[in-house]
Amino acid sequence: MSGNATGPGTVRVCYYMQTHTRPAQILRLAKLIKDDSPDSVVVIDHDASRVPLDPAPFRSLPDVHVLNGPGGYGDFSHLDRYFAAVDWLDAQGIGYDWLQNMTGQDYPLRPIADIERMLANSDADGYLQYAPVHPERTPPDADWGAGPEFRLCKPFDTHMRFDYAHRWFGRPTLAKQRWLRPIMIINFLQPWVRVSLGFSTVGIRRTSTIFSDDFICYGGSFFCALSAPCVHYAREFARDNPDVVAYFRTMPAPDEVFLQSVLVNARKFRLVPDGRHYVDFSRSHNNHPKTLGVADLPAMFASGANFARKFDPGVDADVFDLLDQHVRLESLTPE
């Protein structure tokens, strides 16, 4: 199944959310999307091992589906869930033209109708942040995406994440980070083993790689808008290349490199190297972005992004009402 779920000049968007907490916030986001886009599909893929999500409040919303299943953190489970949702949509016969990947802690910065109008009028196949993970290993005639100045992570972290095969020791917790922290001194004493505090992993230095000038390692944010042909190409690649998937399973946060590496190296799609998501990692702690609030609104709106993350009503509840007001005013402004 590919696109063309709607007629010419319109698109049907599937908003796919991976969630794990704050059911009321998830419901508010789903209602906002459906109010502005009645024909859209919303798939909420909830980590059942965390805060429970009752499907009952969502049943009054048409084409909103709650899938409760296993989750994970910083591993290939994010992609397993993504592809399982794609398979579920296909099995249900639910067509869509675009799949917007997001979380329950996202919120739109523009009216949903405007976002969908942009997608309907676009000649792109995807909005996906990407750039080479290893600029120093990338040939000059490669697709540089967001540009050589973009870095997925700092050089030491890049080396740790991609030049070592990692094994996980459960989810990161504060207690685990306390006993791992003293062990991290070994990262600076020898080249064969790396310990990751943020991902709770131990990595052994690789002796080979799947990457080359013909299959460059690209990285960026997991949160993106992809056309149905892009989505299904990536799904089929994962199914047809289990050895490549197995390699990605040994990386911390493979969701930040798998879609980018597969789709950019395919050379079949026109990809805009911008996922149109506003995220602030300037004060990142153990891979977590800043929780946004009212003070961040000017930067959010100036970014031109479609969505922002992450929000928490326990940190700043007022920002939701102000975002709603902005979106409503924007929707009433003549083009």
Side-chain angles (χ1 to χ4, degrees), residues 5-6 11-17 27 29-31 33-35 37-45 55 57-67 88-89 92-96 116:
T6 56
V11 292
R12 190 183 200 198
V13 179
C14 175
Y15 297 90
Y16 169 69
M17 306 178 196
L27 182 60
L29 177 58
K31 285 182 175 178
I33 291 171
K34 293 301 298 185
D35 284 348
S37 178
D39 294 330
S40 65
V41 181
V42 177
V43 176
I44 301 166
D45 189 348
F58 297 88
R59 291 185 183 128
S60 63
L61 301 174
D63 288 317
V64 174
H65 310 276
V66 177
L67 310 178
W88 182 87
L89 287 162
Q92 299 297 314
I94 299 174
Y96 55 92
E116 294 186 358

Side-chain angles (χ1 to χ4, degrees), residues 206-234:
R206 299 183 189 274
T207 57
S208 62
T209 180
I210 62 171
F211 298 111
S212 67
D213 288 356
D214 294 321
F215 191 70
I216 296 166
C217 184
Y218 285 99
S221 174
F222 182 42
F223 304 105
C224 57
L226 298 178
S227 65
C230 281
V231 171
H232 286 95
Y233 180 89

